[in-house]
Amino acid sequence: AQSVTQLDSQVPVFEEAPVELRCNYSSSVSVYLFWYVQYPNQGLQLLLKYLSGSTLVESINGFEAEFNKSQTSFHLRKPSVHISDTAEYFCAVTTMEGGSEKLVFGKGTKLTVNP
Amino acid sequence: KAGVTQTPRYLIKTRGQQVTLSCSPISGHRSVSWYQQTPGQGLQFLFEYFSETQRNKGNFPGRFSGRQFSNSRSEMNVSTLELGDSALYLCASSLADTEAFFGQGTRLTVV
């Protein structure tokens, strides 16, 4: 069965600093990878996804993630964070079980951006 | 286009009771999945329905059940509630199995 490991449960940073949220997944063929963001008392919003093609994917709000097959990683980065980026971030991978795909999530990383 | 709608947003129940949560997917989406989110266990997959059939099931006891209607709306039911069932229950709908859209969740508190 697939598994996802988010290595840091909490990441505090100062505003305008760079940040990297780490994600590793168990090896499998043909994975799809996702990053979701959850703001307090909200559901999950898709931040970005890797399905195929270029290993570097970007979101509209400055985040990017790179799929590294050899290291089975999909780390999320942002060169300069804002206070509004404070949220919990979840890495997820799809796995084929029972003939359909389901999402397996990591435990989440709480990003706190301080002024 | 309306997003995924979950009702109710908040719910308080007593141990031993049963509860039904509702999820209306995005129009045209036929796949609906349910997840339980708790501080200790994170996001855990409950089950997935596609065209009224359960296609996948997570490792939850039989007290947790669900169904999907012909209009793709889905309900999940938890019987004989326990304190540990207190959680945020999230529903997600998808069109092509490569992207899930989540509702805002139902916060269930069991007292």
Side-chain angles (χ1 to χ4, degrees), chain B residues 2 4 16 20 25 29 34 43-44 50 60 63 69 96 102-103 106 111:
Chain B
V4 178
T20 299
H29 288 195
W34 289 89
L43 277 154
Q44 293 186 285
F50 182 85
F60 278 81
R63 299 185 298 107
F69 302 95
F102 284 82
T106 294
V111 297

Side-chain angles (χ1 to χ4, degrees), chain A residues 32 34 36 38 41-46 49 51 88 90 94 97-107, chain B residues 9-10 35 37 40-43 45 48 55-58 88 90 97-105 107:
Chain A
Y32 297 149
F34 305 83
Y36 282 87
Q38 186 177 35
N41 297 314
Q42 298 291 319
L44 274 70
Q45 300 173 31
L46 181 67
K49 62 184 177 183
L51 304 180
E88 190 157 17
F90 293 90
T94 57
E97 286 190 26
S100 69
E101 298 173 15
K102 67 167 189 172
L103 280 170
V104 176
F105 285 91
K107 295 270 190 193
Chain B
R9 286 292 311 276
Y10 301 93
Y35 293 83
Q37 185 179 24
Q41 299 297 318
L43 277 154
F45 173 75
E48 183 217 356
R55 198 159 68 162
N56 220 332
K57 190 176 190 307
L88 180 67
L90 291 165
D97 285 339
T98 53
E99 183 172 341
F101 295 85
F102 284 82
Q104 291 194 306
R107 172 77 61 186

Side-chain angles (χ1 to χ4, degrees), chain B residues 20-93:
Chain B
T20 299
L21 312 181
S22 179
C23 172
S24 293
I26 292 171
S27 177
H29 288 195
R30 293 196 291 165
S31 170
V32 174
S33 298
W34 289 89
Y35 293 83
Q36 182 196 65
Q37 185 179 24
T38 58
Q41 299 297 318
L43 277 154
Q44 293 186 285
F45 173 75
L46 280 155
F47 26 66
E48 183 217 356
Y49 287 87
F50 182 85
S51 293
E52 302 179 65
T53 300
Q54 188 180 87
R55 198 159 68 162
N56 220 332
K57 190 176 190 307
N59 296 322
F60 278 81
R63 299 185 298 107
F64 292 81
S65 63
R67 59 177 175 169
Q68 187 180 32
F69 302 95
S70 59
N71 62 357
S72 293
R73 190 177 71 83
S74 177
E75 289 181 347
M76 69 162 280
N77 185 77
V78 188
S79 62
T80 321
L81 282 165
E82 301 176 0
L83 295 178
D85 297 332
S86 294
L88 180 67
Y89 290 87
L90 291 165
C91 166
S93 76

Side-chain angles (χ1 to χ4, degrees), chain A:
Chain A
Q2 283 281 0
S3 66
V4 177
T5 302
Q6 291 184 245
L7 296 160
D8 306 298
S9 59
Q10 299 194 48
V11 173
V13 295
F14 288 108
E15 194 173 19
E16 297 184 8
V19 70
E20 178 180 80
L21 308 184
R22 296 179 292 171
C23 171
N24 288 88
Y25 62 93
S26 58
S27 179
S28 179
V29 296
S30 302
V31 294
Y32 297 149
L33 294 155
F34 305 83
W35 275 100
Y36 282 87
V37 59
Q38 186 177 35
Y39 298 100
N41 297 314
Q42 298 291 319
L44 274 70
Q45 300 173 31
L46 181 67
L47 192 58
L48 45 76
K49 62 184 177 183
Y50 170 77
L51 304 180
S52 64
S54 172
T55 57
L56 184 66
V57 289
E58 299 176 351
S59 73
I60 58 172
N61 55 356
F63 282 95
E64 65 178 30
E66 186 160 18
F67 170 55
N68 187 321
K69 189 174 182 178
S70 62
Q71 296 186 4
T72 60
S73 68
F74 191 55
H75 301 331
L76 181 70
R77 302 185 184 95
K78 188 170 184 178
S80 175
V81 293
H82 301 130
I83 299 281
S84 59
D85 292 324
T86 294
E88 190 157 17
Y89 294 78
F90 293 90
C91 181
V93 62
T94 57
T95 176
M96 289 291 293
E97 286 190 26
S100 69
E101 298 173 15
K102 67 167 189 172
L103 280 170
V104 176
F105 285 91
K107 295 270 190 193
T109 298
K110 287 187 180 175
L111 174 65
T112 303
V113 182
N114 298 302

